[in-house]
C-alpha cells in the first residue's frame, strides 16, 4: 500500500512538472550568450566611474541582476535597456555634481534584435551619433536619449519602426532635418525633439500621426510654415514650436482642435492676424509672444475662454484690448506688453490682479494698473 502511494505521488509530481514546462509564462530563460556579448560590447563604449552602474554587469545570466537590463521571461531575449542618470537617491545627486557617463552608443545595440525599449537619458556626457542600424530594431516601442550630447542626424529610415510610441531626443546636438519617413510612425504618441539644431521644415504630411498627443519641437532652427495637416491630429494636446524660424500665418483650424491644451509658438517669425478661434478654443496655455503678429486682438472671448497663460507680448498688435476679454471664465496670466495697443484697459477680472508690466511698452494704453487716462 505504501509503494502504491509513493508511485501516485511520483506520477503527480511528474504531471505538475510537465504542466509547468508547457506553460511558457512560468519558465524564465537565462539570457542568450549572443545577447550577453552584445551588451558587453555596448558597455565597452561607455564610461561611468562614479555611480557604478555597470558593476552588476557580470556573470553569465544578463537577465538576472544586471542593472537596467530586462528580458522577456518566455524567450530569455533582452527586451529593454534603461539607464537614467536622474534618481531620487542621494548617490546619483552626488555623482551628477562630480561627473557624468561619457562615451558613445555602440552599434552593438542593434544586435539585441528583440529590444522594445531603449532609455539612455540625462547623462549629459554621451556623445557620438545615433547608430543608423537602430531602425532595424523593429520591436522598438520606446526610444529615449534625452539630455546628452548626441550629434549627427536622425536616421533617415526612422519610419521603419512601425511600433514606436515614444521618440524623445530632446536636449542634444542633433542637426539636419526631420526625416520625411517620420510620418510613417502611425503609432507614435510622444515626439520630443526640443533643444537641438534641427533645420528645414516640419513635414507637410505630419497629420498622418493620428495617435500623437505631444509634439515638442521648441528650440531648433526649423523654418517654413505650420503645416495645415497638423491640425487634423485629433488627439494632439501639446504643441510646442517656440524658438524656431517659422513663418507664415497661424492656421485658424488650430483653434478648432478638440483637446489642444498647450500651444507655444513664441519666438518665431509668424505674421498675419491672430485667429479669433484661438480665444474660444480648448487651449489653456497660449504663447504667441515674440512674433510679427499684427492687427487687433480678436474680440471673440467668451465663457469658454479659459487661460492659465495668455502671452501676446512683443508683437505688432494695434487697437484696444477687446472688451469681451472680461467675459472669459478665467485668465491667470496675461501679457500684452511691447505692442502698439491703445485705449483704456478694461476693468474687472482678470485685470484686477495683473501688474503694470503686463501692459507696458504700448502706444497709449491707460487705466489701472497703468496711469489714469486723459479726458
Amino acid at each position: 500500500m505504501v509503494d502504491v502511494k509513493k508511485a501516485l505521488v511520483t506520477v503527480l509530481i511528474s504531471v505538475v512538472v510537465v504542466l509547468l514546462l508547457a506553460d511558457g509564462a512560468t519558465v524564465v530563460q537565462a539570457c542568450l550568450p549572443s545577447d550577453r556579448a552584445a551588451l558587453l560590447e555596448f558597455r565597452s563604449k561607455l564610461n561611468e566611474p562614479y555611480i557604478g552602474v555597470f558593476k552588476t554587469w557580470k556573470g553569465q545570466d544578463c537577465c538576472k541582476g544586471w542593472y537596467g537590463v530586462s528580458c522577456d521571461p518566455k524567450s530569455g531575449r533582452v527586451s529593454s535597456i534603461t539607464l537614467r542618470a536622474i534618481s531620487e537617491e542621494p548617490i546619483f545627486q552626488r555623482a551628477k555634481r562630480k561627473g557624468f557617463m561619457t562615451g558613445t552608443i555602440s552599434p552593438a545595440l542593434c544586435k539585441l534584435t528583440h529590444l522594445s525599449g531603449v532609455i539612455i537619458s540625462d547623462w549629459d556626457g554621451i556623445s557620438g551619433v545615433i547608430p543608423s542600424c537602430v531602425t532595424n530594431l523593429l520591436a522598438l516601442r520606446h526610444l529615449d536619449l534625452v539630455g546628452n550630447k548626441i550629434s549627427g542626424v536622425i536616421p533617415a529610415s526612422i519610419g521603419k519602426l512601425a511600433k514606436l510610441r515614444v521618440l524623445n531626443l530632446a536636449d542634444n546636438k542633433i542637426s539636419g532635418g526631420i526625416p520625411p519617413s517620420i510620418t510613417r510612425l502611425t503609432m507614435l504618441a510622444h515626439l520630443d525633439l526640443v533643444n537641438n539644431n534641427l533645420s528645414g521644415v516640419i513635414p507637410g504630411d505630419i497629420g498622418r500621426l493620428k495617435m500623437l498627443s505631444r509634439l515638442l519641437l521648441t528650440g531648433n532652427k526649423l523654418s517654413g510654415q505650420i503645416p495645415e495637416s497638423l491640425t487634423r491630429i485629433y488627439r494632439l494636446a501639446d504643441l510646442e514650436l517656440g524658438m524656431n524660424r517659422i513663418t507664415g500665418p497661424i492656421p485658424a483650424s488650430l483653434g478648432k482642435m478638440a483637446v489642444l491644451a498647450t500651444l507655444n509658438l513664441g519666438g518665431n517669425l509668424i505674421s498675419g492676424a491672430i485667429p479669433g478661434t484661438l480665444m474660444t478654443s480648448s487651449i489653456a496655455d497660449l504663447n504667441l509672444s515674440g512674433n510679427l503678429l499684427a492687427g487687433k486682438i480678436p474680440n471673440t472671448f467668451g465663457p469658454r475662454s479659459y487661460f492659465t497663460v495668455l502671452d501676446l507680448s512683443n508683437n505688432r498688435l494695434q487697437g484696444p484690448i477687446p472688451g469681451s476679454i472680461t467675459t472669459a471664465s478665467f485668465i491667470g496670466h496675461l501679457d500684452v506688453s511691447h505692442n502698439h495697443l491703445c485705449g483704456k484697459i478694461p476693468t474687472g477680472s482678470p485685470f484686477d490682479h495683473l501688474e503694470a508690466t503686463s501692459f507696458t511698452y504700448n502706444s497709449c494704453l491707460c487705466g489701472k494698473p497703468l496711469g489714469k487716462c486723459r479726458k
Side-chain angles (χ1 to χ4, degrees), residues 56-71:
T56 60
W57 286 34
K58 56 187 178 181
Q60 295 301 309
D61 190 355
C62 62
C63 294
K64 185 177 181 180
W66 284 36
Y67 177 83
V69 177
S70 297
C71 296

Side-chain angles (χ1 to χ4, degrees), residues 108-144:
L109 186 75
C110 306
K111 297 178 182 179
L112 300 167
T113 55
H114 286 62
L115 280 176
S116 62
V118 175
I119 301 174
I120 308 169
S121 61
D122 294 304
W123 291 103
D124 189 65
I126 296 176
S127 57
V129 302
I130 301 170
S132 59
C133 62
V134 76
T135 62
N136 295 326
L137 298 174
L138 300 184
L140 206 58
R141 296 173 182 268
H142 193 134
L143 179 58
D144 185 345

Side-chain angles (χ1 to χ4, degrees), residues 46-175:
L46 296 170
N47 180 41
E48 194 290 290
Y50 300 106
I51 303 171
V53 164
F54 296 115
K55 286 183 178 179
T56 60
W57 286 34
K58 56 187 178 181
Q60 295 301 309
D61 190 355
C62 62
C63 294
K64 185 177 181 180
W66 284 36
Y67 177 83
V69 177
S70 297
C71 296
D72 184 316
K74 294 183 179 179
S75 66
R77 303 302 300 267
V78 174
S79 59
S80 69
I81 298 175
T82 302
L83 301 174
R84 286 191 176 99
I86 296 176
S87 171
E88 294 179 359
E89 297 179 51
I91 186 172
F92 278 78
Q93 296 170 7
R94 290 197 298 271
K96 282 187 71 65
R97 288 197 294 270
K98 292 171 65 177
F100 307 92
M101 185 185 293
T102 58
T104 60
I105 298 175
S106 169
L109 186 75
C110 306
K111 297 178 182 179
L112 300 167
T113 55
H114 286 62
L115 280 176
S116 62
V118 175
I119 301 174
I120 308 169
S121 61
D122 294 304
W123 291 103
D124 189 65
I126 296 176
S127 57
V129 302
I130 301 170
S132 59
C133 62
V134 76
T135 62
N136 295 326
L137 298 174
L138 300 184
L140 206 58
R141 296 173 182 268
H142 193 134
L143 179 58
D144 185 345
L145 305 177
V146 63
N148 288 293
K149 286 185 170 66
I150 296 169
S151 57
V153 300
I154 300 172
S157 56
I158 192 78
K160 290 169 58 179
L161 300 177
K163 296 182 179 181
L164 200 63
R165 295 178 181 273
V166 175
L167 177 58
N168 188 352
L169 307 177
D171 299 319
N172 279 288
K173 297 183 176 182
I174 298 169
S175 57

Side-chain angles (χ1 to χ4, degrees), residues 202-204 206 223-231 239 241 246-251 254 263-265 268 270:
I202 301 170
I206 198 166
S223 56
Q225 298 190 16
I226 300 170
E228 186 73 30
S229 72
L230 189 152
T231 67
L239 175 58
L241 308 179
I246 296 171
T247 56
I250 300 172
L254 277 174
L263 177 59
N264 179 7
L265 304 179
N268 280 289
I270 297 170

Side-chain angles (χ1 to χ4, degrees), residues 21 43 47 75 109 111-112 189-190 203 208 235 245 285 292 328:
L21 290 174
R43 155 76 183 92
N47 180 41
S75 66
L109 186 75
K111 297 178 182 179
L112 300 167
H190 180 108
R208 295 174 62 186
R235 294 174 180 264
R245 299 170 182 174
D285 187 338
L292 305 175

